[in-house]
Amino acid sequence: MSEVVLAYSGGLDTSVCIPLLRERYSFDKVTTVLVDVGQPEEDLVRGDLRAEKLSDEHYHIDAKEEFAREYLFPLIKANGSYEGYVLGTAIARPLIAKKAVEIALEKGVKALAHGCTGRGNDQLRFEAIFRTTALDCIAPMRDLDLSREWEIDYAREHGIDVPVTKERPWSIDENLWSRSIEGGHLEDPSFEPPEEIYAWTKAPDALTPSQIVEIGFESGVPVSLDGQAMGPVELIVRLNVIGGRHGVGRTDMIEDRVLGLKARENYEHPAATILLTAHKDLERLVLSRSELRFKASVDDAWSELAYMGLLDDPLYADLNAFLDQANSRVNGFVRMKLYCGSASPVGRFSPDALYAQDMVSFDSETLSQRDAEGFSKYHGFQARLMRRKA
Ligand code: ARG
């Protein structure tokens, strides 16, 4: 008997894949794996119900804690950002792929499938992990070159209730870290997104009074909210709600996909914006000037690998080793002011700060200003020499 394990999201593409894998690829058994990385509860429930109706065997895996600790913590240490995108979808794909691989190997199944199209980045991210095994790798959407219209008709014929309509054609991807909205009129980069595409954030509103949140960090990762110790899943969920009320973390951007296509992308990610801004601010207090300079290039290299889904590249582990070391002193807290769409640091403290108030102060008596005179004589020395020759 031939069997395939499908990484299943509950959406249109992966739902259509189930009958396709039987009809077009002659599999006798389709096993679906739905990985919970913080999607809305109703999507998970709907996904499970659909899978139970359509597939032969279904797994639901709660991977929120692993996602936060093993994937989002490194991202925070790396100030993860690709062209301004907080990498929510990108960083979740390798984990989803890994869970599907684990189940296939456990069951002795020889083939893996995903529902990604041939236009985006996700196919690359899934397969970078799938192909670490010798299992067959099947991508029906890409392989059969299907259009969305065709899929919708096919879904109806197979009794799959279609989650998209002509009026609300959005393709949405959600997890703890971000929510992306694509498709329909949004594909025209000059079209202003209607308010209805947003679900996590209210429109920024100057009449909503500002709010301060205090984020505590240990070794570069968030561990408390307003002085209360908190696990990462709860902390992120709470910050998404709090930040969302202030319209924090909306991004409307043109993004360069790995294949080279430019895409218009819309995202919302209140917690990610608050945490990344706070983390970067605390790093500025704690890390040396040379560490900060060098780390910016590490952050960029890390973000690019994460965007491409190349977490299996040895460079990823190398960079993480540096990030762990550099973040080992990133302890303390940052107070963030949330107001009208912005999240700004308004105070920070660290027991490891490289900050000497007694020296930098206007009223300092520790250092004599005169000591700087010798330094200033050498400063710009070569430029002065050159001009003398001109
Ligand atoms: N452009 C983003 C990325 O490549 C988000 C994509 C979300 N859409 C999707 N169909 N998965 O990570």
Side-chain angles (χ1 to χ4, degrees):
M1 196 180 71
S2 62
E3 183 174 349
V4 59
V5 169
L6 168 69
Y8 183 69
S9 72
L12 176 65
D13 292 337
T14 52
S15 295
V16 161
C17 278
I18 301 173
L20 279 176
L21 286 164
R22 291 201 195 92
E23 289 175 12
R24 303 287 177 101
Y25 297 85
S26 308
F27 283 106
D28 305 307
K29 184 170 174 190
V30 180
T31 295
T32 42
V33 180
L34 178 59
V35 183
D36 175 2
V37 280
Q39 303 89 313
E41 199 51 39
E42 63 270 22
D43 286 11
L44 293 166
V45 171
R46 218 179 300 132
D48 283 337
L49 288 174
R50 265 198 203 116
E52 262 139 39
K53 204 171 110 195
L54 298 167
S55 74
D56 299 287
E57 193 178 357
H58 179 60
Y59 289 80
H60 174 119
I61 298 170
D62 180 351
K64 290 194 287 291
E65 197 66 29
E66 184 176 352
F67 181 46
R69 289 184 189 276
E70 307 297 326
Y71 294 77
L72 296 179
F73 277 0
L75 186 152
I76 293 169
K77 290 181 189 178
N79 300 310
S81 163
Y82 173 84
E83 299 181 347
Y85 159 48
V86 299
L87 294 165
T89 298
I91 196 66
R93 294 309 194 226
L95 172 59
I96 297 169
K98 184 178 100 165
K99 294 293 172 197
V101 165
E102 281 168 6
I103 287 177
L105 294 177
E106 208 175 281
K107 289 167 59 74
V109 172
K110 299 275 179 294
L112 286 160
H114 63 72
C116 310
T117 69
R119 295 199 176 81
N121 299 316
D122 286 339
Q123 52 178 336
L124 308 173
R125 297 170 181 151
F126 272 103
E127 289 178 40
I129 302 298
F130 282 3
R131 291 182 193 280
T132 58
T133 68
L135 305 182
D136 284 343
C137 199
I138 297 160
M141 293 296 125
R142 180 179 69 195
D143 211 13
L144 304 169
D145 200 10
L146 304 175
S147 72
R148 208 141 173 96
E149 302 269 290
W150 187 93
E151 278 182 58
I152 293 175
D153 289 341
Y154 182 83
R156 295 227 166 89
E157 280 163 31
H158 286 77
I160 302 168
D161 51 321
V162 177
V164 289
T165 62
K166 286 224 171 63
E167 298 74 47
R168 306 196 67 197
W170 322 122
S171 165
I172 292 170
D173 184 63
E174 245 172 301
N175 61 46
L176 282 176
W177 204 236
S178 75
R179 178 172 180 275
S180 72
I181 315 99
E182 296 172 307
H185 289 324
L186 294 173
E187 290 179 351
D188 171 1
S190 69
F191 173 77
E192 182 179 344
E195 211 32 53
E196 64 158 78
I197 69 163
Y198 298 107
W200 291 10
T201 52
K202 287 208 324 201
D205 172 9
L207 295 177
T208 306
S210 68
Q211 182 175 356
I212 304 278
V213 287
E214 185 184 291
I215 317 291
F217 286 89
E218 267 172 31
S219 302
V221 300
V223 292
S224 68
L225 175 59
D226 293 332
Q228 193 190 339
M230 207 171 280
V233 174
E234 186 183 354
L235 192 138
I236 292 167
V237 168
R238 284 211 198 180
L239 280 180
N240 275 330
V241 173
I242 299 170
R245 282 190 216 124
H246 296 274
V248 167
R250 287 185 175 185
T251 305
D252 181 336
M253 65 181 287
I254 303 297
E255 183 178 305
D256 292 288
R257 291 186 183 160
V258 183
L259 292 179
L261 293 169
K262 282 191 188 288
R264 193 276 183 88
E265 299 286 353
N266 288 88
Y267 302 108
E268 45 187 350
H269 40 79
T273 295
I274 296 167
L275 291 172
L276 292 171
T277 310
H279 175 262
K280 218 169 182 173
D281 184 76
L282 193 57
E283 278 189 338
R284 295 209 61 79
L285 184 64
V286 168
L287 300 186
S288 69
R289 175 162 62 177
S290 45
E291 279 182 299
L292 286 168
R293 290 257 169 83
F294 183 72
K295 187 173 180 296
S297 65
V298 173
D299 291 354
D300 277 350
W302 189 99
S303 298
E304 182 125 345
L305 280 183
Y307 187 71
M308 296 192 291
L310 295 177
L311 274 50
D312 205 42
D313 192 301
L315 178 62
Y316 184 72
D318 301 340
L319 297 177
N320 280 328
F322 170 83
L323 292 169
D324 286 344
Q325 172 66 25
N327 270 272
S328 61
R329 286 179 287 124
V330 182
N331 304 310
F333 65 77
V334 181
R335 287 204 191 93
M336 299 289 295
K337 185 177 200 160
L338 314 179
Y339 177 64
C340 194
S342 72
S344 322
V346 290
R348 71 286 287 158
F349 167 82
S350 173
D352 299 290
L354 300 185
Y355 182 80
Q357 190 168 351
D358 58 330
M359 292 189 185
V360 75
S361 168
F362 287 116
D363 308 317
S364 176
E365 286 171 7
T366 320
L367 278 180
S368 163
Q369 299 186 50
R370 291 189 201 104
D371 292 344
E373 190 186 338
F375 191 120
S376 73
K377 285 184 184 161
Y378 284 97
H379 197 54
F381 181 61
Q382 297 188 348
R384 282 199 299 276
L385 269 185
M386 189 204 70
R387 282 185 207 294
R388 231 166 273 159
K389 293 216 167 85

